[in-house]
Structure formats: C-alpha cells, structure tokens
C-alpha cells in the first residue's frame, strides 16, 4: 500500500513537472491493452504499401525488426515516391543523398546518413547495427561499407525527379524549400506477436537541401526511437526541428512516465512550438506503446498515416496543433 502511494506520488510529481498531471487519468489508460495482435503504423500515403509488406511478416508471427525493414524497403525501391530511396528528390546540386535508421527490440541501433547511390539505405543501416561496433556511418564511408557488403551502386536520380529539380532551379534561386509539401519520409514502427517493438525511418531528406545536409531521420532519438519496455516513436517533417528537440526520444520518455501516445506526441509538438521558429514548417510524429496503443499528431493539418492491425490497413488524418 505504502509502496503504491509512493509510486503514485512519484508519478504525479514527474507528470506535474512535464505539465501532464491533469492527464493522469488518461495516462493510466495507456496501460490497458487495446490491441490483441501485431500492429504497424507508418507515415503518409506510402504507409499503405509499406504496412502491407510489414504485415506479410507480422501476420505470420514474424519479428518486428524484419517487418519494419521489409516495409520501408518497398517505398525506398519505388521510383514513384519522390522522397525516399530510388527516385528521391536531389539536393540543390542534383545529388540524391539518403538518410536512414533502424532500431530493434534489444535497443540496438544502426544508421546511415548522406549516403549516395544505394537504393535501400535501411538495409545498410541494419548491417551497421548488426555487423559493426558502431551506430552510424556517413557519406563515402557508408557507401564503401555498403559496396563491401554486396549492395549495388545505382543512379537514383530518375528523369522525373531530375526534371522537377531543373524546374525548381529556375524559380528558387537555390533557397531550400522548407514548407509542408516536400516532407515525405517513411517512418514505420511495429509491435509483433511476441510483444516486441522495432522501428525504421528512411528518406531522401528535405528536397533541394544544401549538399551535405543531414536531417532527423538517421539521428537516433530525433527521427526514430524505440525502447522495448515502453514504446516507439518516429517523425517526419522539417528535420532540424526534431533534432533540436530530440522529439522521438522525448515521446518515448513521456510514455515511460505515463503519458498516452497522443499526449506524448502533443507534448513533443508543443515543445517545438515553444522552443523553435516553426513558421512555414511541418512536423508530424507517430507513437506506439508496448500495449499496442497508438497515435499520430502534427504541427499543422494535412498529415496522414497508415495503421494496419487485425489484417486491416487504413489511413487516418492526424489531428494538429495549428488547424
Ligand atoms: N524529416 C526529413 C528531413 O528533414 C524530411 C521528411 O520528413 O520528408 O530530412
């Protein structure tokens, strides 16, 4: 009894410090299991095919780590998606440079950033995680590692993306676009039948960015974070804002302290509002807790995410801070 009371006081104090004390009732709800089987959720419309590929594994009782990799690979390899992998929009000088990260249920992490010429950076990130003592490889070092591990060098700039870039060059005078249309990273988080969580995040980054710019997606804690005891979170949008606020880590930590996924996402967006100059920019988060509770929330309207559970794959419009 005494122990419970002490825990209660500890929890209320912690939540109070986070400005969440008013939601303690809701926070307690997060402990309830809402999903009886595997769940996968991912950002934007390309989340539908990604979830489907992930479900091929999850639906058969496979591991979340295999599902998240398989899911995002589908989007990386499709040249029609101009924000990830093959066909991604280039930087302002015409180079397609890719960022990706992956985390498994053991808390292991791997990432690559500023990687060129490789269609599936997520699989390189997984190799970094599983076969090196490191977490992150960058640029030429990441490319060299990929080639040594059997990945094939490719031209990732499709005619369609090249044409769009050439048109952009005429009007934009090399100012990187920072509005809401050019953010379409795939972040995908999943819970498997065994109750294990994993996540993957992959992107060609901000369209027409400066050469060498790295976003949030390969930064563990910014674009992706997984703690198998608590939950997982991933992000899309203007990466600089998530890096400055370590958004995905923040969401998982808030859930650890009792916030529901939606409360945690709202607080992370609130942090961006309070601490950054977010004018004209979009940021959106997805969160999934250990019990299968999930949420999506964005800074402004227009963010959609796909959820697949019980074999059903559906799009949702996320609620947002700015209406
Ligand atoms: N988060 C990505 C970045 O800043 C962009 C995106 O979500 O499309 O690189």
């Amino acid at each position: 009894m005494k122990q419970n009371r002490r825990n209660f006081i500890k929890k209320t104090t912690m939540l109070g410090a986070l400005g969440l004390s008013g939601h303690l009732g809701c926070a307690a709800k997060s402990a309830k299991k809402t999903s009886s089987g595997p769940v996968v959720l991912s950002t934007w419309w390309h989340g539908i095919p990604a979830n489907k590929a992930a479900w091929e594994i999850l639906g058969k009782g496979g591991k979340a780590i295999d599902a998240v990799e398989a899911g995002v690979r589908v989007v990386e390899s499709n040249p029609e998606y101009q924000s990830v992998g093959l066909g991604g929009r280039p930087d302002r000088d015409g180079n397609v440079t890719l960022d990706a990260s992956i985390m498994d249920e053991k808390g292991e992490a791997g990432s690559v950033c500023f990687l060129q010429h490789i269609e599936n950076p997520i699989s390189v990130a997984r190799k970094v995680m599983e076969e090196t003592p490191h977490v992150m490889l960058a640029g030429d070092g990441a490319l060299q590692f990929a080639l040594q591990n059997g990945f094939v060098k490719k031209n990732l700039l499709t005619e369609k993306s090249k044409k769009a870039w050439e048109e952009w060059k005429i009007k934009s005078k090399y100012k990187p676009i920072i509005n809401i249309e050019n953010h379409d990273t795939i972040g995908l988080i999943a819970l498997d039948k065994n109750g294990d969580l994993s996540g993957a995040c992959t992107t060609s980054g901000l369209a027409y960015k400066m050469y060498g710019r790295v976003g949030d997606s390969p930064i563990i804690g910014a674009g992706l974070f997984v703690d198998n005891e608590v939950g997982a979170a991933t992000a899309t949008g203007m990466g600089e804002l998530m890096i400055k606020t370590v958004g995905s880590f923040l969401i998982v930590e808030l859930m650890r302290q009792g916030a529901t996924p939606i409360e945690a996402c709202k607080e992370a967006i609130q942090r961006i509002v309070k601490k950054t100059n977010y004018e004209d920019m979009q940021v959106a988060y997805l969160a999934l807790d250990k019990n299968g509770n999930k949420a999506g929330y964005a800074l402004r309207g227009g963010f959609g995410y796909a959820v697949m559970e019980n074999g059903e794959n559906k799009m949702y419009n996320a609620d947002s801070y700015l209406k």
Side-chain angles (χ1 to χ4, degrees):
M1 188 67 176
K2 229 186 202 165
Q3 186 61 32
N4 284 347
R5 189 178 140 70
R6 205 173 304 138
N7 284 346
F8 177 82
I9 291 168
K10 211 167 130 199
K11 189 173 177 185
T12 17
T13 315
M14 231 168 350
L15 290 170
L18 292 161
L20 283 167
S21 50
H23 299 287
L24 192 59
C26 299
K29 265 191 271 160
S30 72
K32 271 195 218 144
K33 194 169 169 69
T34 57
S35 172
S36 53
V39 191
V40 52
L41 60 159
S42 56
T43 53
W44 305 109
W45 279 97
H46 50 210
I48 291 284
N51 285 0
K52 203 165 158 246
W55 196 263
E56 294 283 317
I57 293 167
L58 293 174
K60 291 179 189 138
K63 283 174 73 68
I65 184 62
D66 296 325
V68 298
E69 181 189 10
V72 302
R73 275 179 65 99
V74 168
V75 181
E76 288 180 334
S77 293
N78 188 331
E80 288 309 307
Y81 301 122
Q82 290 179 282
S83 50
V84 183
L86 178 65
R89 289 189 189 87
D91 65 13
R92 57 171 81 178
D93 303 319
N95 310 293
V96 181
T97 73
L98 307 174
D99 295 339
S101 65
I102 192 160
M103 281 191 85
D104 71 9
E105 78 285 357
K106 297 183 292 259
E108 296 297 337
S111 93
V112 287
C113 66
F114 190 45
L115 171 63
Q116 298 185 62
H117 315 301
I118 300 292
E119 182 174 314
N120 295 115
I122 199 67
S123 297
V124 186
R126 186 166 179 183
K127 278 236 176 289
V128 172
M129 173 173 83
E130 290 177 346
E131 285 169 33
T132 79
H134 307 306
V135 169
M136 185 182 239
L137 291 180
D140 282 347
L143 177 61
Q144 192 182 310
F145 172 77
L147 297 176
Q148 280 163 355
N149 279 280
F151 290 82
V152 178
K153 199 168 174 177
K154 264 196 180 175
N155 173 24
L156 303 179
L157 185 62
T158 55
E159 274 311 306
K160 191 174 163 190
S161 288
K162 190 170 173 215
K163 206 163 155 254
W165 165 62
E166 278 162 354
E167 279 161 19
W168 171 84
K169 269 202 297 185
I170 302 164
K171 294 189 225 134
S172 69
K173 297 185 191 134
Y174 292 97
K175 187 170 178 273
I177 292 177
I178 49 170
N179 66 8
I180 54 180
E181 287 87 32
N182 282 287
H183 299 288
D184 284 323
T185 295
I186 178 124
L188 185 148
I189 47 185
L191 179 70
D192 66 24
K193 201 172 149 226
N194 288 330
D196 285 329
L197 291 158
S198 292
C201 187
T202 174
T203 191
S204 51
L206 181 65
Y208 319 133
K209 59 198 173 186
M210 288 174 70
Y211 180 66
R213 180 264 188 189
V214 171
D216 60 303
S217 310
I219 313 281
I220 300 301
L224 178 74
F225 196 69
V226 178
D227 183 325
N228 205 38
E229 284 175 23
V230 179
T234 191
T236 178
M238 189 68 187
E240 282 71 4
L241 304 186
M242 292 84 104
I243 294 173
K244 286 179 200 169
T245 53
V246 202
S248 293
F249 179 73
L250 175 62
I251 289 171
V252 173
E253 288 308 299
L254 288 166
M255 292 195 293
R256 187 192 309 280
Q257 286 153 17
T260 61
I262 188 66
E263 287 168 344
C265 289
K266 282 185 175 176
E267 178 64 23
I269 292 289
Q270 194 64 49
R271 192 68 59 91
I272 284 172
V273 169
K274 199 170 155 202
K275 301 274 182 184
T276 71
N277 179 6
Y278 60 91
E279 203 184 339
D280 290 338
M281 297 177 196
Q282 171 67 312
V283 171
Y285 288 114
L286 295 182
L288 172 65
D289 75 14
K290 186 75 182 157
N291 297 313
N293 300 296
K294 59 214 155 294
Y297 191 73
L299 177 56
R300 45 187 94 236
F303 171 61
Y305 62 103
V307 177
M308 189 157 186
E309 56 189 330
N310 304 316
E312 218 193 338
N313 201 6
K314 279 209 309 216
M315 280 307 290
Y316 292 85
N317 267 330
D319 192 8
S320 55
Y321 173 78
L322 298 168
K323 303 294 171 191

